[in-house]
Amino acid sequence: MSALRATALRSLSGRAIAPRLARAHSSRSEYFLRPLTETAPSPTYEYKFLEQPATVSVLSYPFSGGQPRAGVDKGPDHLVEAGLLKQLQSLGWHVEYSEGAVDQLLATVKSDADIGKMKQPRAVSAVTKQLAADVAAVAQGGKLPLTLGGDHSLAVGTVAGTKRKFPDAALVWVDAHADINTPLTTDSGNLHGCPVSFLLGLEGTDVAPFNEWLKPCLKPEDLVYIGLRDIDNGEKKILKDLGVKVFTMHDVDKHGIGKVMDLVLDHIGRDRPIHLSYDVDALDPTITPSTGTPVRGGLNFREGHYIAEAIAETGNLVALDVVEVNPSLGEDAASVAQTVAIGCSLSRAALGETLL
Ligand SMILES: NC(=[NH2+])NCCC[C@H](N)C(=O)O
Ligand SMILES: [Mn+2]
Ligand SMILES: [Mn+2]
């Protein structure tokens, strides 16, 4: 059985429903059945590593176990309710939607005591293992997986999945944080601060339960960061020792975002598949307030979108993550709506929306 068939198709209320019923009644699954290809036959750019017709497979992963704040698991539903699927369809994409069976996966985790400093390691491992299989299956099918989080620990799964189809893929990580703590360096123990170290296979990451399924799949030179401004001391040492290419907010201030993106593409090259992992806390908290670990001094609205647009323009995007939207946080309903809207607009920008 394919990995994706294991994920349940769900109704708007989150109840698991039979696919045939879903086809008849779920408004989400209409996107499978009646693509509006008359209005826009294909995306703005030719996505050269994908098969035709260009298809985005949206994977909803309502998971919060990589960090302590409730609500980030509601991010995917809010993004979908805001109209994301229809928006992507009107950009010319064929759109599929499925929801990771996170509840079922978590039900297999009976107790989840800390392992060393790691919090909820079994939950994160179980969910990311399945997500890796889902992303790999989508990529093998010639489609683009768009994973909606959920917290950033999910990227252990998404990047591992992308790398099964595209071992040469570059990883562009847009974030206030480096998320490269290891189980040895982390202060918080929150695994959303650690996914990159597991992908690289750094010292301390060869631990159960992850080492039962996850092999190092990323090289330091495959990775570029943009937007960093809150880096733990242990992470600074790792970044320097490995020589990872980092464009902090200082670099964005100094060069401007246009130059930074030129330098990003100079570094990774212009003919390689790109996995874009976008943490919405990369943007300034005035722009995306509803997120668990906001840090002042972030990307402004245009800088944030320009990054996604510049990646889209390459035609090399093969996978996208949009994570850390937490609709339970923020001052008021307007903060939440704004953060969700920007999760949608960043996704559209990466999938080829242009201003003209
Ligand atoms: N994906 C995120 N928002 N990560 C925040 C990580 C914060 C901090 N560096 C930690 O390891 O706990
Ligand atoms: Mn972050
Ligand atoms: Mn992050």
Side-chain angles (χ1 to χ4, degrees):
M1 188 166 95
S2 83
L4 259 186
R5 240 186 293 158
T7 68
L9 189 68
R10 282 164 175 259
S11 72
L12 286 163
S13 63
R15 192 167 37 85
I17 50 175
R20 200 175 52 80
L21 217 71
R23 281 167 191 258
H25 298 296
S26 160
S27 59
R28 282 180 184 176
S29 62
E30 282 175 21
Y31 302 111
F32 289 100
L33 297 176
R34 291 192 279 113
L36 300 173
T37 44
E38 317 84 50
T39 55
S42 59
T44 315
Y45 304 106
E46 192 194 327
Y47 284 72
K48 43 186 179 285
F49 296 102
L50 305 182
E51 278 167 29
Q52 296 296 320
T55 301
V56 57
S57 189
V58 178
L59 304 175
S60 162
Y61 260 75
F63 179 65
S64 66
Q67 53 83 63
R69 311 189 76 162
V72 71
D73 49 309
K74 301 290 187 293
D77 271 356
H78 280 252
L79 292 162
V80 171
E81 297 291 341
L84 177 61
L85 304 182
K86 191 125 199 168
Q87 293 165 21
L88 300 180
Q89 196 175 47
S90 54
L91 289 173
W93 291 83
H94 286 247
V95 179
E96 297 177 355
Y97 175 82
S98 60
E99 192 166 307
V102 173
D103 290 344
Q104 286 100 303
L105 291 165
L106 294 182
T108 68
V109 177
K110 297 297 173 221
S111 63
D112 206 0
D114 295 359
I115 298 177
K117 294 182 186 170
M118 292 189 290
K119 293 183 178 144
Q120 300 186 249
R122 297 163 197 83
V124 173
S125 179
V127 170
T128 55
K129 179 183 179 182
Q130 181 62 49
L131 177 53
D134 290 353
V135 167
V138 169
Q140 297 295 356
K143 305 168 192 174
L144 189 146
L146 164 49
T147 302
L148 305 179
D151 73 65
H152 218 165
S153 67
L154 291 169
V156 171
T158 61
V159 176
T162 294
K163 283 285 193 172
R164 285 178 202 167
K165 161 84 176 180
F166 299 109
D168 185 40
L171 174 59
V172 177
W173 194 278
V174 185
D175 206 321
H177 310 93
D179 295 346
I180 197 168
N181 273 304
T182 74
L184 304 175
T185 68
T186 177
D187 281 329
S188 67
N190 299 327
L191 284 168
H192 79 154
C194 305
V196 178
S197 76
F198 280 88
L199 294 162
L200 291 164
L202 301 188
E203 183 192 353
T205 61
D206 185 8
V207 287
F210 293 96
N211 58 4
E212 286 152 25
W213 66 273
L214 182 66
K215 299 279 164 284
C217 59
L218 187 70
K219 297 191 293 291
E221 60 268 28
D222 295 339
L223 169 62
V224 187
Y225 285 106
I226 309 166
L228 305 199
R229 56 195 182 276
D230 181 11
I231 313 174
D232 300 335
N233 286 335
E235 294 183 301
K236 286 180 184 170
K237 178 164 168 35
I238 291 168
L239 292 170
K240 285 182 182 152
D241 288 352
L242 295 179
V244 176
K245 199 68 161 174
V246 179
F247 296 96
T248 65
M249 286 310 300
H250 176 93
D251 299 303
V252 174
D253 294 338
K254 179 174 175 177
H255 299 296
I257 197 66
K259 173 81 186 204
V260 164
M261 289 310 294
D262 286 344
L263 294 170
V264 165
L265 295 173
D266 287 347
H267 179 75
I268 63 181
R270 286 170 171 75
D271 294 306
R272 278 172 79 185
I274 298 174
H275 182 123
L276 175 60
S277 197
Y278 212 124
D279 183 332
V280 299
D281 74 25
L283 286 89
D284 193 79
T286 56
I287 315 284
T288 48
S290 296
T291 192
T293 50
V295 187
R296 66 183 175 178
L299 298 165
N300 67 29
F301 180 92
R302 276 303 310 154
E303 289 164 343
H305 288 78
Y306 183 83
I307 292 168
E309 291 162 7
I311 299 289
E313 256 181 318
T314 67
N316 293 342
L317 188 71
V318 295
L320 173 63
D321 313 327
V322 175
V323 298
E324 300 283 356
V325 171
N326 187 332
S328 302
L329 302 175
E331 299 264 285
D332 49 25
S335 304
V336 176
Q338 180 177 311
T339 306
V340 169
I342 285 173
C344 292
S345 57
L346 292 173
S347 303
R348 298 198 305 273
L351 295 191
E353 186 171 64
T354 54
L355 299 184
L356 182 66

